[in-house]
Amino acid sequence: MKTGSIEASGGGPLLKVEGLAISFGRAAITTSVSIALERGESIAIVGESGSGKSVTARAIAGLLPPGLNATGAITFDGMSVMPLPERERRKLRGYRVSMLMQDPFTMLNPLMRCGDHIDEMLRDRPEFASRQARGGEVQRRLEEVGISDPDVARRLPFELSGGMCQRVAMAAALARDPDLLIADEATTALDVTSQADIMKLLGHIQRERHMGLILVTHNLRLAFATCQRVYVLYAGSVLEVGDAISVERRPFHPYTLGLLLSEPPVDIRVQNLVAMRGSVPRAADVIDRCGFADRCDWASEVCRASKPPLGALSALRSTACLRQDEIQSEIDARRATALSEEPKALSRGETTDCLVRVDSLSKTFSGARGRPVRAVREVSLHIRSGECVGLVGESGSGKTTIGRCLVGLENPTSGNIVIDGISAGDYRALTKGDLARIRRTIQMVFQDAYSTLNPRHSVGQALAEALGAAVGATDPVTPERIVSLLAEVGLSASYTSRRPRSLSGGERQRVAIARALAVEPAILVCDEPVSALDVSVQGQVLNLFRRLQVEHALSYLFITHDLAVLRQIAERIYVLYLGEIVEEGPTEKVIGDPQHPYTRRLVKSIPRGTIKLTR
C-alpha cells in the first residue's frame, strides 16, 4: 500500500475509513466510525449537532484541530493516509481532497478580492503561470458555479450575499479539480432557493467530473434529495447505513425514524410534530452501551448492557439496533401513521379585529457611496388576534426589516403601522404611556438567541430583568414567578442558575421565548426562530409555539424562508420578493396552489425525497 505518493491509482474505492476513533485526551468523541465512498458517488453523513459529523469530516480531510487525536485507518485511492507526514497530507488536501465549509464568510479572507481566492489555487499549475491566463481561468471557474458577472472577481466578500459568497467559496474549493469534495453543512446558512441552486450546481459539477462527494448535514430532506447513500451518526457512532431511497422509505433504527418524523412535512399540516425527547449525549458517556437508549421508546436492558455493533442486514443496509427484528413492525406502523396524518382543522373563530395593521410600509437605507437601497416597498399586511401569519422570502427580501419596524428597531421611511389601536410608525414620537403599552403588546424572538442573551447573566437574572419591566419596578419579582415562566417553555427550575454558554441551541431559544413572554404580550414577531436548530429541536420549539398560541391566544408574525415550517404553524402567508408582497392567502392555497412565479420557485426549491405524504 502506498504511503508517500499522492498520484491517483485508479483502482478500488476512492475512500475507505475503518474504525476511526477521535478523542480529546481520554474523552472519546467518535468511536469506530467506518465509511466507504466509490468514485463519483455521493454520500451523506447525517445527525444532530454533537453527533460527530463535522469532526469526522475534518479527520478525513486532515484538518483536526490541535488537541484532538485520531486512530484507525483512512485509505484514499489505495493510499494509507494516517501515516503520511503533514507536508504530504497538505499536498493531498490541496490537490485531491477539498472541503467546503458552512459559513462562506469564514472561508473567504475578508481582505482578499473574490477572484484572488481562486487565483491563489491556480498559481502552481504551469498552464496558469501568467496572470492573464489565471484571470481567464478565474472567470471560467466563476461561470462554472453560476456567476456570469465579471465584476464579482473584483469585489470583496462583504459586498456579496451569502449565496454568492458560497458560490465563490465553491469555485475556490473546486479550482484544483479534486477527486473528493467534503461539504460540511455548506448550505445551512442559505435560504431555500440559494440552497437549491448551490446543490444543483454541485450535483452537475460532481457528475461532470466523476467526483466523490461527502455531504455533512442535519437536513434529511437535502440528504435524500442529493445523495445516493446515507450514514446516520449519533453520539460518535454510526447507527444506520443504507441507500437513500431505502432508508427514507423504511428506517431500521429508532433514531433514524426519529429524525425522519421530526422533519416538518411540506405536503400536509400534521396535528402534532414528532419531537424526540432529550439531547445527544457525549460519546464518552455512552461508550459501553447504545447511545440512543435514553431517548428510545423501545429500549430494554439488553440495549444498555453493551455497545451494539453495526450489523449488515443486506448488501446495502446495516443497523446498530439489537432489537431491530422485534420492533421493525412497530417502526413501520409509526412511520405509516405519520405519513397519513390528516391536517388539523383550525378552530379559531372568524374575526375582523386586527391587532396589527401595516399600510404601504416602505424602508430605504443608505447604501454604498450614498446610493439609496429600497429594502421594503409599499408593504401592507394585517394580523388578527390569536392568528399566526407567515412572512416568507429569500435572504434580502426585506422580511427582517419589516419585523424590526414593527418592534421599533427601525423607523419606516413611509407608511404607517397600527398596533392595538396605536399608531406606531415612529416609536420616537409616542407618548411614554403609549410606548409602554406597545412594548407590552409586541415582543420579538430573534434567530440567534445566544447573541441576545448577556453571557455574564444567569437565566434567572435575564428573566428577572424582563419580569421587572412587566410588573413594574415597585412589584417584587419572586423566584416562583421565574420558575413559572421557565415552566411555560418546558424548562425546569434548575435552569435559573445556568448561563447561556451551558445551554443547547434549543434551550437558549426557549429562554429567549420565556423572556419575550414575561410582559404577557399579545403578539410575538418571530424572526427565523428555528432555522439554526437541529431538526429534532426544531420540532420541539414549533410544538412549543403552537401550544403557547392556544394557551395564551398569542398572535405571531412568523418570519422564515422555510415553507415546510410555515405549513405547520401559519394560517395565512405573505410572500415577499425584493421588498414587495407578490402573493398572499391561506397557507393551504399558497403552498398547495401557488400563483406567482416566485412562490412556485420557493415551493419547487424545497428539497424532497421519494416519499409523498398522503392526505
Side-chain angles (χ1 to χ4, degrees):
M1 189 174 288
K2 296 180 295 183
T3 60
S5 171
I6 63 170
E7 297 301 319
S9 70
L14 179 65
L15 176 73
K16 194 170 185 180
V17 179
E18 298 173 285
L20 179 64
I22 303 168
S23 61
F24 180 71
R26 294 184 178 180
I29 298 174
T30 70
T31 56
S32 194
V33 171
S34 295
I35 295 169
L37 176 70
E38 299 295 328
R39 300 169 196 280
E41 185 185 23
S42 58
I43 65 171
I45 302 176
V46 303
E48 297 168 275
S49 297
S51 291
K53 307 185 302 297
S54 291
V55 75
T56 298
R58 287 179 173 273
I60 294 171
L63 289 172
L64 281 179
L68 296 189
N69 299 307
T71 59
I74 300 175
T75 306
F76 180 80
D77 197 16
M79 172 177 52
S80 182
V81 174
M82 297 287 269
L84 289 176
E86 175 55 25
R87 195 176 93 178
E88 293 298 313
R89 294 194 73 173
R90 194 179 299 122
K91 289 181 182 178
L92 180 71
R93 185 168 59 242
Y95 286 90
R96 302 195 58 203
V97 179
S98 192
M99 198 160 184
L100 187 62
M101 304 292 194
Q102 175 175 350
D103 185 0
F105 293 102
T106 59
M107 276 193 70
L108 302 177
N109 186 329
L111 301 179
M112 284 176 60
R113 299 191 184 280
C114 291
D116 291 341
H117 290 86
I118 304 168
D119 181 282
E120 190 176 48
M121 306 299 287
L122 301 171
R123 289 174 189 171
D124 52 3
R125 293 175 60 171
E127 65 268 39
F128 302 122
S130 70
R131 181 183 293 272
Q132 184 179 4
R134 291 198 306 274
E137 183 65 6
V138 166
Q139 292 301 330
R140 191 184 76 77
R141 295 287 181 165
L142 287 173
E143 288 173 4
E144 185 179 47
V145 296
I147 299 176
S148 57
D149 182 1
D151 188 53
V152 169
R154 295 186 288 271
R155 295 182 191 172
L156 293 169
F158 77 88
E159 297 180 287
L160 303 179
S161 67
M164 289 287 280
C165 276
Q166 192 62 287
R167 289 172 189 248
V168 172
M170 185 189 299
L174 296 172
R176 286 176 171 165
D177 301 320
D179 298 297
L180 170 62
L181 178 67
I182 302 171
D184 186 5
E185 299 281 13
T187 62
T188 298
L190 305 180
D191 57 60
V192 65
T193 51
S194 297
Q195 179 187 88
D197 290 343
I198 292 292
M199 293 312 301
K200 185 177 179 180
L201 280 167
L202 191 53
H204 172 75
I205 293 169
Q206 183 209 359
R207 289 188 297 271
E208 191 175 67
R209 299 185 182 182
H210 202 59
M211 178 181 69
L213 172 66
I214 298 177
L215 179 67
V216 179
T217 182
H218 65 263
N219 187 329
L220 266 70
R221 286 199 302 259
L222 188 65
F224 291 133
T226 305
C227 297
Q228 295 158 275
R229 289 190 301 120
V230 173
Y231 286 78
V232 181
L233 205 61
Y234 182 81
S237 298
V238 177
L239 299 190
E240 185 160 358
V241 182
D243 65 285
I245 293 175
S246 298
V247 172
E248 185 189 17
R249 287 182 173 173
R250 198 183 191 205
F252 284 167
H253 199 284
Y255 177 60
T256 311
L257 174 72
L259 287 178
L260 284 164
L261 298 187
S262 297
E263 282 278 10
V266 71
D267 298 307
I268 63 170
R269 176 177 172 129
V270 295
Q271 291 191 13
N272 199 50
L273 287 167
V274 176
M276 289 182 287
R277 63 181 182 274
S279 57
V280 181
R282 296 191 312 158
D285 295 337
V286 292
I287 202 159
D288 56 353
R289 62 189 178 96
C290 174
F292 190 61
D294 293 341
R295 302 173 74 186
C296 181
D297 293 336
W298 293 281
S300 65
E301 287 307 310
V302 68
C303 304
R304 297 180 173 90
S306 62
K307 189 80 168 178
L310 184 67
L313 301 180
S314 70
L316 299 175
R317 298 293 301 276
S318 301
T319 185
C321 180
L322 295 173
R323 302 191 62 208
Q324 186 266 332
D325 278 345
E326 303 171 54
I327 67 175
Q328 189 60 53
S329 59
E330 295 178 49
I331 289 177
D332 293 343
R334 188 169 295 186
R335 177 75 169 138
T337 299
L339 290 175
S340 59
E341 188 78 46
E342 288 291 328
K344 184 177 180 181
L346 300 174
S347 58
R348 187 184 62 83
E350 289 297 322
T351 176
T352 57
D353 295 334
C354 284
L355 183 62
V356 173
R357 181 175 290 280
V358 176
D359 293 308
S360 301
L361 180 72
S362 294
K363 176 63 180 179
T364 301
F365 293 97
S366 178
R369 300 183 182 91
R371 296 174 183 170
V373 177
R374 295 193 66 187
V376 180
R377 304 164 183 255
E378 298 291 322
V379 164
S380 297
L381 58 84
H382 66 277
I383 306 167
R384 294 188 285 258
S385 179
E387 182 183 38
C388 178
V389 170
L391 187 59
V392 65
E394 297 171 286
S395 298
S397 61
K399 307 186 303 297
T400 295
T401 299
I402 293 172
R404 290 173 63 85
C405 285
L406 284 177
V407 297
L409 294 176
E410 297 285 355
N411 286 313
T413 305
S414 62
N416 194 31
I417 300 171
V418 177
I419 301 174
D420 197 20
I422 300 173
S423 181
D426 186 352
Y427 275 55
R428 298 168 300 184
L430 294 173
T431 65
K432 187 176 180 180
D434 282 346
L435 181 60
R437 181 177 158 190
I438 285 183
R439 294 293 190 204
R440 288 193 299 269
T441 301
I442 188 167
Q443 287 286 305
M444 193 163 187
V445 177
F446 297 89
Q447 176 177 352
D448 183 5
Y450 187 73
S451 65
T452 67
L453 297 171
N454 189 327
R456 296 185 178 181
H457 288 180
S458 67
V459 169
Q461 287 175 291
L463 296 185
E465 184 179 27
L467 284 167
V471 300
T474 58
D475 298 325
V477 177
T478 64
E480 291 77 17
R481 183 71 184 98
I482 294 173
V483 171
S484 174
L485 198 56
L486 286 170
E488 288 275 13
V489 295
L491 297 177
S492 66
S494 64
Y495 281 83
T496 55
S497 60
R498 295 176 64 177
R499 284 180 166 74
R501 67 176 179 272
S502 69
L503 305 179
S504 68
E507 289 168 339
R508 289 173 191 154
Q509 197 59 282
R510 287 173 183 264
V511 171
I513 294 168
R515 185 178 59 181
L517 292 174
V519 298
E520 300 180 0
I523 180 170
L524 292 181
V525 176
C526 305
D527 187 10
E528 300 278 11
V530 298
S531 64
L533 304 178
D534 281 322
V535 63
S536 57
V537 180
Q538 177 179 271
Q540 295 171 6
V541 175
L542 286 175
N543 283 335
L544 172 63
F545 276 124
R546 288 168 64 164
R547 176 175 63 79
L548 292 173
Q549 182 183 15
V550 172
E551 292 179 357
H552 298 278
L554 273 174
S555 298
Y556 297 126
L557 177 65
F558 207 93
I559 299 170
T560 182
H561 64 262
D562 193 336
L563 282 169
V565 167
L566 284 186
R567 188 62 172 264
Q568 305 309 314
I569 194 167
E571 299 166 50
R572 290 188 300 111
I573 292 177
Y574 291 89
V575 181
L576 200 63
Y577 178 63
L578 297 180
E580 298 183 54
I581 300 292
V582 296
E583 187 164 353
E584 62 178 285
T587 303
E588 190 79 11
K589 290 184 178 179
V590 171
I591 297 179
D593 186 23
Q595 299 300 304
H596 193 276
Y598 176 67
T599 313
R600 289 197 290 268
R601 183 185 170 205
L602 282 179
V603 173
K604 188 178 179 180
S605 296
I606 300 170
R608 301 169 190 254
T610 58
I611 298 294
K612 296 297 182 184
L613 301 185
T614 56
R615 306 192 63 159

